[in-house]
Every structure is written in structure tokens, then in C-alpha cells.
Amino acid sequence: MGAPAEADREETGGIRTALGGLTTRGRSFLAAGIAAVICAYILGQADLRRVGLLLAVLPLICAAVLYRTRYRVAGSRRLSPARVPAGSEARVHLRMDNVSRLPTGLLMLQDRVPYVLGPRPRFVLDRVEPGGRREVSYRVRSDLRGRYPLGPLQLRLTDPFGMCELTRSFSTFDTLTVIPKVEPLPPIRLSGEAKGYGDGRQRSLALAGEDDVIPRGYRYGDDLRRVHWRSTARYGELMVRREEQPQRARCTVLLDTRGGAYEGAGPDSAFEWAVSGAASVLVHMLERGFSVRLLTDTGSSVPGEGADGFAGSGHESAEAAGLMMDTLAVIDHSDGTGLSRAYDVLRGGNEGLLVAFLGDLDEEQATVVAKMRQRSGGAVAFVLDPDTWVREPSDVPAPGNAHEERLRMLREAGWTAVSVPRAAPLAELWRQADRERTGLAALSGEAR
């Protein structure tokens, strides 16, 4: 909610500011009055001179009175919600309070919004009594993710005759965050070697808290019920059993942001699909209790993210999801041409489940991605098919499809690689990855 701020009066440029606020009607009256006075002096008509003076003085008096008006008006803005998915609407609530002892005249209220959110909203407020308030609202909508400033709020003052109009601005503004679309995913089991996922996750949680076979020396405050008597007799001192700390299953989502890997722009482009897919997987895995981490081709992650990613439940999980969505809301194409930096980050150890959203891959980058499989417990790749995202459905596909060759390289390296055609629903591809991974595990078992 925007903090209330008092409208600032423009104290500099007095007469110039007042005359600059004259409307077309006021300027017309002033010009007609001056012309009438000049003609009256030439023709010697006293009555015409009085009429001319009246016409010329009326807009000047309105400008002076309006400029000297000492309205004290406070305004505030509230967004509901402040973080909205692309394509959804948010409502902006504006509130005006008259904190002076004088009633206001006719007020025109307008808010500055970026053009992608819609037209600039304008409201006409009737007379506001001393200590009174007025509340209005408008809706904004954007199909493009990003962070959009709202404000500052502007208040237009006008006189009853419409001769003069002055604008006073507030100093505060708010920010609307448009995050990627999040598609709900089915709770499937990606069976196989994905550490902590599916059956493996259940086993990990079941083993959490089991006693470790290696005892340690007794420390003040240890529970005597954990004394390991066999080791105590062996070492001649009191020994207790260690407690294994519960470990969260880990998931890393790799988002390819290379500018050369995607073609096209706009809300229906391949890159926007990849960003939305990464957001959906991050939220899905976080809701299932995983420690999640967002990684890009540049090797960067979400600011404030821990070594094992974000983890938590309840309020902490919602905050973690919000931070990742804020990062994805402003993420853009990188200047890099390779995925080596992301591979260097993954070389630190077992990443658990690795889910990658990749653009167009050449043979060199496909080789780098294939090596990433060795650093994860399980790996699923959603590779966008560049032919279907660029050409029209009626076009004939080019012979010698290199996209299928890249998928084959990843599958041979142990990836569950899924081709992503144009505007494909992620939920269906998520199920397809589960079926392919289950089939590979069954074939591997029969071969053994």
C-alpha cells in the first residue's frame, strides 16, 4: 500500500505557473479581452473597453484564486494483488483524503501507468468536505511479465468557469510485478535414480532421524537413553549414538536464457514458454517439500538463495516462491553463447533431480548438457523444437532434422529428453517425461 503523501504546491514561478495553467477557454477570453480593449481605444468606445476589461480580467482572477487555493489533500494507492500472473488482472485502489479545513472544488484525479497496462485512468471527484475521503479503483492487465511502476498520482484543480487548470503531483509510486504463468502439474513419480524423488524421497524421509553407526563422545546435555554401551565398553568412556539430520530432497531447475537459442518475441514466444515452464516446475517441487534452486546458463541463481536452494514450508515456502517469481518476472536473454558456466556450477556435487528447459542446441552445447547428467541423480530436459516454433504449421519441415539428433545425444547420456512443439501444454509433457522415464527404467531392469 502506498504511503499517504500530501500533494506538493508549486511555489516557484508564481505568475508564470498560474498563466501556464490557463485552458483554451481561458486563453480565448484573455485574447478577446485584450483585442476588445485595443479596439476600444482606437474607436473611442468606453463600453467596449469595459467589456474587454471584464473578458481579460476574468481568466486572470480564476488563475490567481486557483493558484492560491490551499487544499491539503493526501492520497494513497493499494494494489490487489501486488504480484499477478501474466494475462491476469490486478485492481488498483486509490484513496483521497481532504485533510484541510476547507472543502475542495471539482477535482480530476489521474494515475500514471505504463502503456502495456492499459490506458491512463482518470476520475472526476465532486466536492470533498473537510475531513472527507473518496475512493476509486481501476483495473490493469498485462500479457508481458515484468515490473511496472504505477504513479506518481496527479491531481488536477480547476475553477468553476473552466478558465484555469493546475496539476499537482504526489511523490510516491508503487510497483506491480507481473510474474510468468504457473501451470499446475500432476503429482507424478519420476522413478529411477532421482535422489529423493518419488520412492527415493519416501525412503529418505523414512530414514531421517535413524541412528548412525558411528558413535561420538558424550557431551553435557545428551540424552542418556542414547548411550551406546558397546562402544562405551570398548573405548573406556561414555559414548552416545549420533543422530542423522533429516535431509531434504533437492531439485535444480536450469533455464537456458541464451539469446541465440530462441527466435521470436512476445507472450507466445518460445522463450516465454520456457520461463513459464521453469516457474511451474519450481512452484510444483517447492510445494512437494523439495529444496529447489533456479540456475541459468550464466551460472547465476536467485539473490538470497542458499547453497542448497530455497526450502521451507508454509509461510517460508510462499516467500521462497515469491522471490523466485520476482526473479523470473524480469529475467531476459543473456549475451552468452554456451552452457559451460552452468556446468561449472553443477560440478560441485550431486544436484538431486535436474530439470532443464533448453532452447536450440548445437552439437557443442548438446555435449555440455550431456555431461551435466553425471552431476545429478536424475535429469529431465524439455528441449524446444525450433522448427515448430518458427515456421507455420503449413510449412514443410526441413530435411535432416538436427533437433532429433540432439535429443538422441541427451538420451544416450541418460537424460529423459522431451521435445517441446509449439504451444505444447506443460502438464502433458510432464506426464510424457514420466512415461518415458518409467519405460527406460523397465528396459534397464530387463537388461540386467
Side-chain angles (χ1 to χ4, degrees):
M1 178 177 179
E6 184 177 328
D8 299 326
R9 288 185 54 228
E10 299 180 8
E11 297 293 346
T12 59
I15 298 178
R16 181 182 301 177
T17 302
L19 295 179
L22 290 176
T23 62
T24 302
R25 179 185 299 178
R27 295 176 186 272
S28 300
F29 267 67
L30 181 61
I34 294 176
V37 170
I38 294 176
C39 293
Y41 275 109
I42 295 176
L43 301 176
Q45 297 291 330
D47 294 337
L48 180 61
R49 182 170 62 250
R50 286 191 288 268
V51 173
L53 290 175
L54 177 62
L55 293 177
V57 170
L58 180 60
L60 296 179
I61 294 177
C62 291
V65 172
L66 186 63
Y67 180 77
R68 297 300 299 175
T69 299
R70 297 182 178 273
Y71 294 150
R72 294 187 60 201
V73 182
S76 62
R77 182 190 299 104
R78 178 173 57 87
L79 305 181
S80 178
R83 186 186 291 118
V84 61
S88 300
E89 291 184 345
R91 183 168 290 275
V92 183
H93 301 268
L94 302 178
R95 173 177 165 180
M96 302 299 299
D97 294 273
N98 183 10
V99 295
S100 66
R101 298 181 178 179
L102 298 176
T104 67
L106 191 65
L107 304 178
M108 177 180 289
L109 186 67
Q110 74 174 12
D111 204 5
R112 289 186 178 181
V113 298
Y115 71 94
V116 297
L117 298 182
R120 179 173 296 184
R122 292 183 174 90
F123 304 94
V124 177
L125 304 181
D126 295 332
R127 176 179 177 274
V128 183
E129 64 279 4
R133 70 177 60 170
R134 297 290 185 272
E135 294 185 3
V136 294
S137 65
Y138 64 93
R139 294 179 296 180
V140 291
R141 180 181 182 273
S142 174
D143 293 329
L144 298 176
R145 55 185 176 81
R147 293 174 62 88
Y148 301 102
L150 300 179
L153 198 63
Q154 291 183 335
L155 193 63
R156 286 188 176 184
L157 307 177
T158 182
D159 65 283
F161 301 102
M163 297 290 181
C164 185
E165 187 177 80
L166 296 180
T167 301
R168 295 174 181 174
S169 298
F170 294 82
S171 58
T172 60
F173 65 92
D174 294 274
T175 302
L176 175 67
T177 304
V178 180
I179 63 177
K181 294 181 180 178
V182 176
E183 184 176 349
L185 301 179
I188 64 176
R189 291 177 180 269
L190 291 176
S191 58
E193 299 178 0
K195 179 179 180 181
Y197 201 97
D199 296 332
R201 177 172 180 260
Q202 300 299 330
R203 290 193 298 268
S204 176
L205 295 179
L207 290 176
E210 290 291 331
D211 297 332
D212 193 48
V213 296
I214 303 178
R216 60 170 175 82
Y218 175 83
R219 298 173 184 171
Y220 179 77
D222 287 338
D223 191 351
L224 294 178
R225 290 176 296 181
R226 308 200 63 83
V227 174
H228 196 272
W229 298 108
R230 183 179 301 179
S231 299
T232 300
R234 179 179 179 182
Y235 292 103
E237 60 177 330
L238 202 59
M239 306 292 291
V240 296
R241 293 170 297 196
R242 295 182 180 179
E243 293 183 353
E244 182 183 353
Q245 296 297 327
Q247 294 184 354
R248 279 183 173 269
R250 300 173 61 186
C251 176
T252 299
V253 177
L254 172 62
L255 177 60
D256 183 8
T257 63
R258 295 172 299 137
Y262 304 91
E263 294 187 17
D268 297 329
S269 63
F271 180 67
E272 293 301 322
W273 188 97
V275 174
S276 177
S280 302
V281 173
L282 286 169
V283 173
H284 175 73
M285 303 304 288
L286 191 62
E287 290 176 349
R288 296 197 61 182
F290 279 68
S291 293
V292 296
R293 180 173 66 157
L294 174 63
L295 184 65
T296 65
D297 57 290
T298 60
S300 60
S301 57
V302 180
E305 189 179 62
D308 294 333
F310 286 108
S313 58
H315 182 66
E316 294 180 358
S317 178
E319 288 185 353
L323 288 175
M324 290 186 291
M325 293 302 103
D326 289 344
T327 301
L328 290 175
V330 297
I331 200 168
D332 201 357
H333 291 293
S334 65
D335 297 331
T337 58
L339 299 167
S340 300
R341 294 183 180 178
Y343 174 69
D344 293 338
V345 175
L346 293 175
R347 286 193 304 181
N350 193 334
E351 297 297 328
L353 179 65
L354 176 60
V355 181
F357 289 86
L358 306 171
D360 190 15
L361 298 174
D362 56 20
E363 185 176 358
E364 179 182 356
Q365 301 310 320
T367 304
V368 175
V369 175
K371 294 180 181 179
M372 295 180 183
R373 174 62 181 87
Q374 304 172 1
R375 305 297 175 180
S376 63
V380 181
F382 297 95
V383 187
L384 278 74
D385 187 353
D387 292 334
T388 61
W389 283 90
V390 174
R391 61 180 173 84
E392 297 297 330
S394 59
D395 294 344
V396 179
N401 193 345
H403 175 68
E404 295 296 334
E405 180 64 22
R406 306 295 179 256
L407 293 177
R408 185 188 62 81
M409 292 178 59
L410 297 183
R411 288 164 182 164
E412 290 179 352
W415 282 82
T416 301
V418 179
S419 177
V420 180
R422 183 180 181 86
L426 179 60
E428 182 59 33
L429 297 178
W430 192 249
R431 295 188 184 95
Q432 179 182 346
D434 176 48
R435 292 193 297 267
E436 293 185 6
R437 191 174 177 85
T438 303
L440 291 175
L443 292 176
S444 177
E446 292 177 1
R448 286 195 296 268

